[in-house]
Amino acid sequence: MTAVPTGAPRRTRLLASALLSLGLALTGLSGTANAAPQNDPQTLAQADSVSAHPASAGWVQTHGDWVQIQPGHPHAAASARPASGPQAGLSGAPQPQADPAPGHNAVLVNNDQPNMAYKGGQDSVGVTSGPPRVYVIYWGSQWGTAGKDADGNTTLSNDPDNAAPYQQSFFKGLGSNGDAWSGVLTQYCESVATGSASCPADAPHVGYPQSGGALAGVWVDNSTAAPQQATEPQIAAETAAAAKHFGNTTAAQNRNVQYVVTTAKGMDPDSWHELNTWCAWHTFERSSYGTLAYTIMPYLTDNKYCGTNWINPGPRGRLDGYSILGGHEYAETVTDQNAMGGWIDPAGQENGDKCAWITQGTPGGLFNLQLATGAFAVQTTWSNDQHTCSGSHPVVANKPLVVSTMCDRTAPPGKPVELPVIASDSASAKLRYSAAGLPRGLAVDPRTGVIRGRTKDTGYHDVTVTVRDGAGNQASTRFWYGFFATGEYGCLGIEQIVDPGFEVPVDAKGNYPGWWSPSGPGIITQSTAHQPRTGAGYAWLGHSAAQDDSLSQGVETTPGYTRASLSFWLHVASGNTAPAAQDTLALELDDQYSGKRIAVLRTWSNLDATGGYVPVSIDLTPYVASEFGSTVIVKFTSHETGSAQTAFLLDDASFHLS
C-alpha cells in the first residue's frame, strides 16, 4: 500500500463480509421472484435455480448467469493508499509537484529494509508466469456513452478528466520502447521453496508483456448503473461477469490475467471516501472460472492525494495517479497474483508498498516512464537483485515452455478426480503430458494435461508431471497429492500470520514496522529480560500495572475454506503468589470491519504460570463459521495489578485455513 491523507488513522485496509454477504441481494444483480404469483412456472423455475445455486456456496446471479464466486480480500500489502501524513514518512501532506514544498520532508528510499521472499503459492498460483494480460472494465452507466479516439482507445462521455484513454494507453505501452520498468518484475518467480529470496534461471519467472502491450481487452459495462457504494462481493461479481464477457471461463484462461474494475467520477466503491485510507487495492477470488485476480480502481482525481499532478503539471498530469497507482497494483499482482502466496517481505509489504511515493529526483523516486504510447508517471518497485527500489532491470526471460506451480493438496479416496495442469509455450503448440507417482486409478491426459480417475489408495503420493513440446523443450512440476478418508480437501493452506515469530526488529525510533499492532513500545521485543522460544524475537505483554498491554493482527478467513485454526506458544512467568487471579491475559477474536467482538477464546492468569513455553491450539471454526470471507482480528490483552509481577510471553504464532 502507499499511504494515508493527513490526519487519517493508520489501519489495515481489510474488508469484512464476503461469503455471508453473498446471500444478500446485490444491487442490479438479483431478481424479484417473490413478486410473482406463488405457482407461476417462472417463479418455480427461479426458485429451483436458487436452490441449485446456494448463496452459502458462493453462488450469485450476475448478468443473467449463475457464477460461483468466493472473493478473497485485499490485505495491507495489497492496497495502495494516498501519500501524506506521518505514516507516509512525511511531516505533512506533500504538494502535487516534483519537489516537496518548504517545511515538508522528502520520502526517501530505504535500502535497509529486508528483501522479499516467496510465500509458496496460493491455490497453485504464485506469480503471473506468462505474459501478463490486463482487462479493463468501465463499470456502470455512470460512465456515459462510449466512443473511440484517434489511437483506438475507448472514450466515455462522462469522463471529464479523460482518464479512460490514458489508463488504456499505459497498459498498451507496457513492454514497449525498451521498457526496463517491467524488467524489474521479471526477476521474481514461482516453483521455488517457500522462503526463497532468489530465483534459479529455470524457474517460471514473471512474464514480460508481449508485443502490443499488456492490455488484452476493454469492456464498457454500461447497461445498468453500478452500485454507488459497491461492496467487495459486488466488485467480485463484476469481475466474474467480466471473465465471462471476455470468454475467460477456465482456470487456464485466467492463469496470467488480471482485471481492473474502474468506477466513474463520484462513485464510492468499498466506502472509498469514508475510509479515506486507500487509493486502489488488488486481491483475488475463487470462482467457477478458476481464481481471478482483480483491482478496484476508483476515479482517482476525486482525491487529490491519489496522484493528481503528483509529478507532472497540467491536465495530463492530473492523471498521474492512473499510472502511479495502476502500475503499483499491476506490479503487485504479477508478483503476488493470489495474495498472499507470492513475494512479500517479513513485514508484509509487496514490491509496490516498499517503494511508494518516493520523491521524484531522488534515488528510487517517482519518474516518467517513456513508452511507445507516451510518457507516464510511475513509482519504482523493489528489486531483490539490486536490494533497492528500482525502475530498471534486465528482462529475465522465461524458457519457452513454462508449467505452473501445483499446490500440495488432499482429496477423498474413491471420488472422481479432475485436476488440470497448466502449461504455456511460446515455441510450439504441440504439448504432451506425462506423470509419475500418481496413485493407481489416476492418469494424466497426454494431450490436455488433466489428471482424471478414481483411486482407493490412501496416504501421500509424490507426483511429478512433465510436459514436452514439439520443439524439444521440457518442463516439470512436482507436488504432494494426499488421499484420506476424513479431513479437509483441496490445496493445503499457507501461513496467514505475517511475522509469526516476531522476528521483524523495531526501527531506530523503537517503532515496530510489521503487521502486528502493539499498544506500545517493547511489546514486540528482543529483550534479554526474557527468552524467546525460537529466533531472537518474542512478544511480552504485562510490562506495568499503569496500563493494559495489547497485541493484535488482522487475518483473512478466505472464502472457500471451511476450517480455521490458531496456534502459538505461551510462557506465563509470574512472581505473583496471590491465591487469586490478579494478572490476566485474554485472547479474543474481533470482526475487523465492524470492530465487534466475536468471542473471548481463552483467558490466563498468574495462577497459570508455566515452566517455559507451552503449545496452545484453538479451533476457530465454530467462531468464524459464519465469518468465512471476512477478516478477523486476533487480539491479546493483558491486565496487571500491583507491581506487574506476571509476564505473558508469546512466540511462534500460526493461523491456518483448510
Side-chain angles (χ1 to χ4, degrees), residues 18-24 50-60 66 69:
L19 200 56
L20 180 64
S21 301
L22 291 173
L24 303 177
V50 169
S51 64
H53 301 89
S56 61
W59 289 96
V60 297
W66 287 98
I69 62 168

Side-chain angles (χ1 to χ4, degrees), residues 446-460:
R447 296 170 301 170
T448 66
V450 177
I451 297 171
R452 290 190 177 91
R454 301 171 188 254
T455 183
K456 295 182 179 180
D457 287 1
T458 58
Y460 275 107

Side-chain angles (χ1 to χ4, degrees), residues 5-71:
T6 304
R10 183 181 182 184
R11 57 173 290 176
T12 304
R13 221 288 308 171
L14 290 157
L15 296 180
S17 80
L19 200 56
L20 180 64
S21 301
L22 291 173
L24 303 177
L26 304 182
T27 303
L29 302 180
S30 60
T32 55
N34 290 337
Q38 184 175 1
N39 294 322
D40 178 73
Q42 182 178 358
T43 303
L44 295 176
Q46 288 172 334
D48 288 341
S49 186
V50 169
S51 64
H53 301 89
S56 61
W59 289 96
V60 297
Q61 194 172 23
T62 174
H63 290 255
D65 294 305
W66 287 98
V67 61
Q68 192 177 29
I69 62 168
Q70 299 168 338

Side-chain angles (χ1 to χ4, degrees), residues 306-501:
C306 286
T308 301
N309 290 116
W310 209 255
I311 66 174
N312 294 302
R316 184 174 173 84
R318 279 183 58 78
L319 300 172
D320 282 352
Y322 278 92
S323 48
I324 295 172
L325 294 159
H328 176 111
E329 300 302 333
Y330 167 87
E332 291 187 341
T333 299
V334 298
T335 56
D336 185 25
Q337 184 169 321
N338 283 4
M340 305 172 38
W343 290 80
I344 299 170
D345 79 2
Q349 296 191 97
E350 295 172 289
N351 62 342
D353 303 321
K354 293 166 74 69
C355 304
W357 305 112
I358 298 172
T359 303
Q360 183 192 26
T362 66
L366 294 156
F367 68 99
N368 282 314
L369 176 63
Q370 299 291 331
L371 301 174
T373 51
F376 299 88
V378 294
Q379 67 161 83
T380 58
T381 60
W382 184 260
S383 169
N384 274 9
D385 291 350
Q386 300 157 309
H387 196 72
T388 191
C389 293
S390 176
S392 178
H393 188 283
V395 175
V396 181
N398 273 322
K399 293 191 173 183
L401 178 59
V402 173
V403 182
S404 294
T405 294
M406 293 293 289
C407 69
D408 297 330
R409 66 189 69 226
T410 58
K415 298 291 185 181
V417 165
E418 185 165 330
L419 177 65
V421 177
I422 300 173
S424 60
D425 195 348
S426 61
S428 171
K430 184 180 180 181
L431 300 179
R432 300 290 291 181
Y433 297 80
S434 61
L438 286 172
R440 291 173 298 175
L442 298 188
V444 64
D445 187 313
R447 296 170 301 170
T448 66
V450 177
I451 297 171
R452 290 190 177 91
R454 301 171 188 254
T455 183
K456 295 182 179 180
D457 287 1
T458 58
Y460 275 107
H461 298 261
D462 186 358
V463 179
T464 299
V465 179
T466 300
V467 188
R468 297 174 176 85
D469 68 11
N473 299 300
Q474 176 179 314
S476 298
T477 184
R478 181 182 176 188
F479 64 102
W480 287 96
Y481 208 165
F483 293 86
F484 302 96
T486 60
E488 300 301 318
Y489 305 120
C491 291
L492 302 184
I494 64 174
E495 178 61 66
Q496 301 298 310
I497 292 282
V498 177
D499 191 20

